[in-house]
Amino acid sequence: MARLSLERIYADENGQPIPRLLDVYPDGTEEYEPQEDPVTKLGQTLFRIFQERRDVFDIDAPKRQDAKDEEESDDDKEEQPEKATQKMSMTPEDLMKMRNELMPQLHIAMGEMSLARDLLALLLSNSPPTAQAPALAVSTVSKPPPIPSVAAFNTLLTTGGKDESLRSASDVLGTAAREIERVNESNEKYWQNALLVRSSGWGLVPAPLPPGTSGGNKFARDFLISYGLEQASPPFKRRALAQLSTNSPSPLTFPAREGLRLRVTYETANGSSSSMVGRSKSSDNLDEILRDAQSEVVESEIFRRLIEEAGSLPTAGARVSEKLIVVEAAQGVDLKFELVDEVEEDEASQPESIEACLIGSVLRLYLLQMHRSPRRSSRLLQPIIDVVQYVRFCERVEDEVTMMASSLRDAGFKVRVRFQRVGEGGEGIVGGERMGGEAVLRVDGRHTVRLTMEAPCRLVAHLGRATLGLSSMSQLSQLLREEMEDYLLRKICEAGPEAGGWVVDRMTGSVVGNVGGENRQVSVRFGTRYGIECRVGSRAFSGGRLIDWVRAIM
């Protein structure tokens, strides 16, 4: 690379000397440095040389020094004859020492004289002729012509250095141009994305000024996108901020995004199934990216509220850790709420279930309800537990009613069962109403047992003679046995010979009558899994049609 010389320019293009400018006055007058006379300058230089190096040009100086040394030696001879004798004789070492001291000074003097001679020759060759002829001889020194090969090599070096400099400058300018073009494209893309985000309904807020910025400039070009829920708590609203990016490959950057999603697991005795409340989608669409980020913040807020409620559940127990909540919602049913990395979840995915998906969707609805009515005492986890307990409770009630109906059908009765678990609409349930349903057991189109259920585990039996509240499955089983036994006994009275001659003895739970002058007693009992056992006197029957047994016995 060629380098610029730092030497001051002393001649113009025509070879004329350029005077040194000292000052420019207001009226435009220029003041230059006065030119010195070469002869005067040469005299001053020579005078300075004689002044500074007087000991070299003084011929009598060695004689005076020798006389002084002789006087000193005479004095020393008088005082110390022996030492004077030793000083008069010089050893080779002393001569060598003296030579080493004098030779540098002689070389310096010779160099100065040569310099003065060359200077005089140069001045005399360039100075105009004067009236007085110079006293010193003039010798002209010309520079030898360069060797052609060396001159060519020097030209190549100069040309190569200039070419390299030009190429380097061109690369710098090209890089700067590309950078300017990239910045312009990035800025244009920035504003396009800002307009797209705003047209999609997302909130844009001005970005805070960088630390250390003066308070006078209150304006900022950058924007922040607020994608959190409007009524969310302040910590989650601060997390729900995105930045429009100009340098990264992604159009948006999320400073506080954690990448954790909520997974709901519904475990029963038959196995477990889980479901992700939401999954991120790989897309370049700004609206979809912001929706995924919003879902992530909403799920984080749901999990935080679940942790707060898990410690004070009235009808269930819970185990809480940093990213896992396990709730014993009902007998044989556990609910797990876990924050997991979505990448790990995709690698170890489990079969999804309807229950887990519904729980995840209902959690979002309950959170929106809490945001809509912040002063109202709303909860997230307790309604979910009530629903799970109610579903488990309905399953057990349906099992009891179904077993009773199956046993009656085997005995020859026409049985109809209607079971409706949920009687309310979705709006009422989300609005805080209790979930409820009913079960109806009708035998021969005449006798009916109606049961109403209410979350989480409330059961009421509506009979013809009374309305009873039941608090356990054993009470329900006992009620169904008594009602059906009473109906079967009345049915036996109607089916037996000499109708009207048979009566029901409620103390013994049997039918008493007279057949051919002989008293007969018929009793009916429900055994294990509502199996019907009929006993006439000491004879017992089971299986088959009940009416056929009675007619055969009577």
Side-chain angles (χ1 to χ4, degrees):
M1 181 182 295
R3 298 185 180 180
L4 297 178
S5 175
L6 300 179
E7 183 180 358
R8 185 171 64 90
I9 301 175
Y10 58 88
D12 57 9
E13 297 178 355
N14 299 325
Q16 298 296 328
I18 299 176
R20 182 178 180 184
L21 182 64
L22 297 180
D23 196 359
V24 179
Y25 296 100
D27 57 355
T29 305
E30 299 177 351
E31 181 182 0
Y32 295 94
E33 184 180 10
Q35 296 183 357
E36 296 182 358
D37 186 11
V39 178
T40 305
K41 188 174 182 181
L42 176 60
Q44 293 177 356
T45 303
L46 293 176
F47 180 77
R48 182 179 175 184
I49 293 174
F50 284 109
Q51 288 290 332
E52 294 179 356
R53 295 295 182 182
R54 183 177 299 175
D55 53 346
V56 178
F57 299 97
D58 191 359
I59 302 175
D60 297 333
K63 295 180 179 180
R64 291 194 298 269
Q65 184 67 26
D66 293 339
K68 185 178 178 181
D69 293 340
E70 289 177 1
E71 293 176 359
E72 292 179 356
S73 61
D74 293 338
D75 295 336
D76 293 338
K77 287 179 181 180
E78 294 176 0
E79 295 176 0
Q80 297 178 356
E82 297 179 357
K83 292 183 178 179
T85 305
Q86 295 177 356
K87 289 183 179 180
M88 289 297 292
S89 59
M90 297 181 65
T91 61
E93 289 80 6
D94 295 336
L95 290 174
M96 181 59 68
K97 182 178 181 182
M98 182 179 66
R99 180 182 178 184
N100 293 335
E101 292 177 355
L102 293 178
M103 289 302 293
Q105 297 181 3
L106 293 176
H107 284 294
I108 293 173
M110 184 178 66
E112 292 177 350
M113 289 299 293
S114 300
L115 178 61
R117 184 192 62 188
D118 296 339
L119 180 61
L120 288 173
L122 179 62
L123 293 175
L124 293 175
S125 62
N126 295 331
S127 61
T130 57
Q132 298 179 358
L136 299 178
V138 179
S139 60
T140 303
V141 180
S142 60
K143 185 178 180 181
I147 303 174
S149 59
V150 176
F153 181 73
N154 293 336
T155 304
L156 290 176
L157 287 178
T158 304
T159 305
K162 291 182 179 180
D163 181 70
E164 185 179 358
S165 301
L166 292 176
R167 290 181 182 273
S168 178
S170 176
D171 293 341
V172 171
L173 293 177
T175 303
R178 288 191 293 271
E179 182 66 18
I180 293 174
E181 184 179 359
R182 187 193 64 80
V183 171
N184 290 335
E185 293 179 355
S186 177
N187 293 338
E188 184 179 356
K189 187 67 174 178
Y190 177 92
W191 291 107
Q192 290 178 357
N193 291 337
L195 293 176
L196 289 175
V197 170
R198 190 67 188 92
S199 62
S200 300
W202 301 98
L204 291 179
V205 295
L209 296 176
T213 307
S214 60
N217 184 10
K218 298 294 184 181
F219 302 97
R221 191 206 72 171
D222 294 336
F223 291 102
L224 294 179
I225 304 173
S226 178
Y227 57 86
L229 300 180
E230 293 183 0
Q231 303 299 329
S233 56
F236 293 97
K237 292 186 71 174
R238 287 192 295 267
R239 285 179 51 187
L241 293 176
Q243 295 178 349
L244 290 169
S245 175
T246 58
N247 297 324
S248 62
S250 176
L252 298 176
T253 57
F254 300 88
R257 191 170 181 179
E258 298 179 351
L260 299 177
R261 305 306 297 266
L262 181 62
R263 181 175 65 188
V264 179
T265 304
Y266 187 86
E267 290 188 350
T268 60
N270 298 328
S272 63
S273 59
S274 63
S275 173
M276 295 292 293
V277 176
R279 294 180 182 273
S280 300
K281 302 176 182 179
S282 57
S283 174
D284 295 333
N285 190 299
L286 296 178
D287 187 60
E288 293 183 0
I289 295 175
L290 290 174
R291 288 184 183 277
D292 292 338
Q294 184 185 57
S295 299
E296 182 180 325
V297 174
V298 169
E299 293 167 13
S300 298
E301 185 177 2
I302 290 174
F303 188 79
R304 180 57 56 188
R305 292 184 180 271
L306 293 178
I307 289 179
E308 295 175 355
E309 297 180 14
S312 58
L313 295 175
T315 60
R319 301 189 303 273
V320 181
S321 62
E322 183 180 0
K323 295 182 180 180
L324 176 64
I325 302 174
V326 180
V327 180
E328 299 175 359
Q331 182 179 0
V333 179
D334 291 341
L335 295 180
K336 289 184 179 181
F337 304 92
E338 186 177 5
L339 286 178
V340 297
D341 189 352
E342 192 169 7
V343 177
E344 298 177 358
E345 172 62 22
D346 293 338
E347 294 178 355
S349 59
Q350 298 181 3
E352 295 187 355
S353 64
I354 299 178
E355 294 84 355
C357 294
L358 290 176
I359 291 173
S361 301
V362 171
L363 283 174
R364 291 190 175 190
L365 296 178
Y366 281 147
L367 181 64
L368 294 177
Q369 182 182 3
M370 294 177 67
H371 289 173
R372 184 179 303 175
S373 304
R375 297 182 179 179
R376 184 179 176 183
S377 59
S378 303
R379 299 174 69 88
L380 284 180
L381 189 55
Q382 187 59 46
I384 299 295
I385 295 176
D386 292 344
V387 171
V388 173
Q389 291 178 348
Y390 176 71
V391 171
R392 186 60 178 168
F393 171 70
C394 290
E395 292 176 354
R396 298 175 64 187
V397 173
E398 186 176 9
D399 290 343
E400 294 290 335
V401 175
T402 302
M403 284 192 297
M404 175 59 74
S406 177
S407 178
L408 292 175
R409 288 192 184 96
D410 295 341
F413 296 96
K414 296 180 179 180
V415 182
R416 181 182 177 186
V417 177
R418 181 170 61 87
F419 200 93
Q420 185 178 3
R421 295 187 181 185
V422 181
E424 294 80 5
E427 295 181 358
I429 296 174
V430 176
E433 297 181 5
R434 289 281 185 177
M435 183 181 296
E438 68 174 1
V440 179
L441 176 64
R442 185 180 296 274
V443 183
D444 289 339
R446 297 172 53 187
H447 188 70
T448 302
V449 177
R450 177 171 173 265
L451 304 173
T452 58
M453 300 161 290
E454 185 178 345
C457 300
R458 188 170 180 267
L459 180 63
V460 178
H462 302 271
L463 306 176
R465 59 183 182 275
T467 300
L468 302 176
L470 305 177
S471 59
S472 63
M473 290 296 104
S474 60
Q475 292 183 0
L476 174 62
S477 176
Q478 184 65 27
L479 175 67
L480 292 176
R481 292 172 188 273
E482 291 177 357
E483 285 294 315
M484 293 300 104
E485 287 175 0
D486 182 71
Y487 174 73
L488 293 180
L489 292 177
R490 288 189 282 111
K491 188 69 174 176
I492 291 174
C493 292
E494 297 175 0
E498 299 179 3
W502 293 80
V503 295
V504 178
D505 186 1
R506 298 188 181 279
M507 296 296 295
T508 59
S510 59
V511 176
V512 180
N514 188 285
V515 178
E518 182 181 356
N519 292 329
R520 297 286 181 89
Q521 182 178 9
V522 181
S523 61
V524 178
R525 294 287 184 272
F526 284 90
T528 304
R529 300 185 62 84
Y530 298 107
I532 300 177
E533 297 178 357
C534 181
R535 182 176 293 276
V536 179
S538 59
R539 300 174 62 185
F541 301 89
S542 63
R545 296 171 58 87
L546 179 63
I547 303 302
D548 295 341
W549 300 339
V550 175
R551 288 176 178 174
I553 295 172
M554 295 180 179

